[in-house]
């Protein structure tokens, strides 16, 4: 547990630096607003970027330079970093884009490389773009388009199937608004939220004190 979002970002960046310095790896980057600070800190560290490739654990269905794009957020935060960031191609058909991105991921996110997936969590317990009640939760594929009725929008997302094949999942959670759902995810019933499946994986939950304030039994970093 970390005192505040700044310390959380520093710890997460150092954890990623250490992973990249290890065996050749691939890292699925989380989207949203939390991880940007981690990526900016990581960009300042001395990292052997040639040992890793980056991809996106989910993306909004927007043009690549749109302010809501996770790929744009990550590329901006990691500006100047000599790493490959694999991004989905935006076009006219989310299903076709998801399919072509999955083929790309299958060529790069391979068993001979240490696979890490970084995830965030929403206040409804979603992760990546696996929102409650949406079709991607049940997919046997790796990466799919997902219609999100709650947003009236498409997203592209890694599926629980793909995330479950990672060697390590790192979940970043910050802020008091998530404290109730985080406690329920980690200490409540094992299948209540989309992110619940991550409890069964080799995962590290990096959280700040505000997000952890309602945790009782669960031990976290
Ligand atoms: C996205 C993310 C999503 C995010 C959570 C938390 O595209 O929004 O991938 O899963 O991690 O919604 O978002 P915040 O970090 O903005 O709270």
């Amino acid at each position: 547990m970390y005192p505040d979002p700044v310390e959380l970002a520093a710890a997460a960046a150092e954890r990623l630096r250490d992973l990249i310095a290890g065996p050749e790896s691939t890292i699925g980057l989380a989207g949203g607003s939390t991880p940007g600070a981690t990526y900016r800190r990581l960009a300042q560290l001395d990292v052997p970027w040639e040992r890793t490739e980056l991809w996106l654990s989910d993306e909004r269905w927007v043009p690549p330079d749109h302010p809501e794009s996770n790929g744009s957020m990550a590329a901006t935060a990691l500006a100047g970093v000599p790493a490959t960031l694999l991004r989905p191609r935006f076009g006219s058909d989310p299903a076709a884009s998801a399919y072509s991105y999955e083929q790309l991921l299958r060529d790069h996110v391979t068993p001979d490389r240490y696979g890490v997936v970084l995830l965030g969590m929403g206040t409804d317990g979603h992760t990546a773009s696996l929102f409650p009640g949406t079709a991607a939760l049940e997919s046997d594929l790796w990466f799919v388009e997902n219609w999100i009725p709650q947003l009236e929008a498409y997203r592209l997302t890694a599926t629980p199937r793909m995330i479950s094949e990672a060697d390590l999942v790192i979940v970043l959670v910050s802020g008091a608004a998530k404290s109730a759902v985080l406690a329920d995810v980690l200490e409540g019933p094992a299948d209540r939220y989309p992110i619940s499946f991550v409890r069964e994986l080799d995962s590290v939950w990096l959280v700040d004190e505000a997000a952890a304030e309602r945790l009782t039994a669960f031990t976290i970093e």
Side-chain angles (χ1 to χ4, degrees):
M1 185 180 350
Y2 299 91
D4 55 49
V6 172
E7 292 298 322
L8 174 64
E14 286 159 19
R15 177 68 66 108
L16 290 171
R17 183 265 322 272
D18 295 346
L19 289 167
I20 293 169
E24 197 168 74
S25 63
T26 58
I27 301 177
L29 299 180
S33 60
T34 302
T38 293
Y39 303 154
R40 285 188 291 277
R41 289 295 296 262
L42 184 59
Q44 296 165 357
L45 299 179
D46 180 19
V47 176
W49 288 108
E50 71 281 356
R51 303 183 58 74
T52 194
E53 282 190 315
L54 309 174
W55 56 280
L56 298 173
S57 50
D58 75 316
E59 179 58 289
R60 287 82 180 275
W61 187 240
V62 295
D65 55 356
H66 190 280
E68 286 294 305
S69 162
N70 287 332
S72 174
M73 174 275 292
T76 303
L78 292 166
V81 160
T84 303
L85 173 59
L86 303 170
R87 295 179 64 174
R89 174 183 45 75
F90 179 72
S92 59
D93 176 3
S97 179
Y99 178 79
S100 64
Y101 193 54
E102 177 177 38
Q103 304 319 301
L104 186 66
L105 294 179
R106 286 189 179 278
D107 289 342
H108 290 265
V109 184
T110 51
D112 59 310
R113 307 172 94 181
Y114 191 78
V116 180
V117 179
L118 195 60
L119 295 174
M121 184 190 73
T123 54
D124 59 356
H126 82 261
T127 192
S129 284
L130 301 166
F131 284 78
T134 59
L137 286 165
E138 309 304 326
S139 174
D140 289 332
L141 300 175
W142 263 25
F143 203 93
V144 294
E145 82 288 357
N146 198 25
W147 173 252
I148 316 297
Q150 301 91 320
L151 303 176
E152 294 186 350
Y154 273 106
R155 293 282 188 93
L156 305 183
T157 187
T159 62
R161 174 94 180 254
M162 178 176 193
I163 295 166
S164 300
E165 296 197 17
D167 296 294
L168 178 65
V169 177
I170 299 175
V171 185
L172 275 185
V173 188
S174 172
K178 299 180 182 178
S179 60
V181 67
L182 181 64
D184 206 16
V185 165
L186 295 180
E187 300 176 349
D191 58 356
R192 178 168 286 174
Y193 299 98
I195 198 172
S196 295
F197 78 98
V198 173
R199 283 176 50 176
E200 310 311 318
L201 308 179
D202 190 357
S203 57
V204 173
W205 295 67
L206 301 180
V207 304
D208 62 18
E209 286 179 5
E213 67 185 2
R214 298 196 193 190
L215 288 179
T216 52
F218 195 89
T219 55
I220 52 170
E221 293 242 335

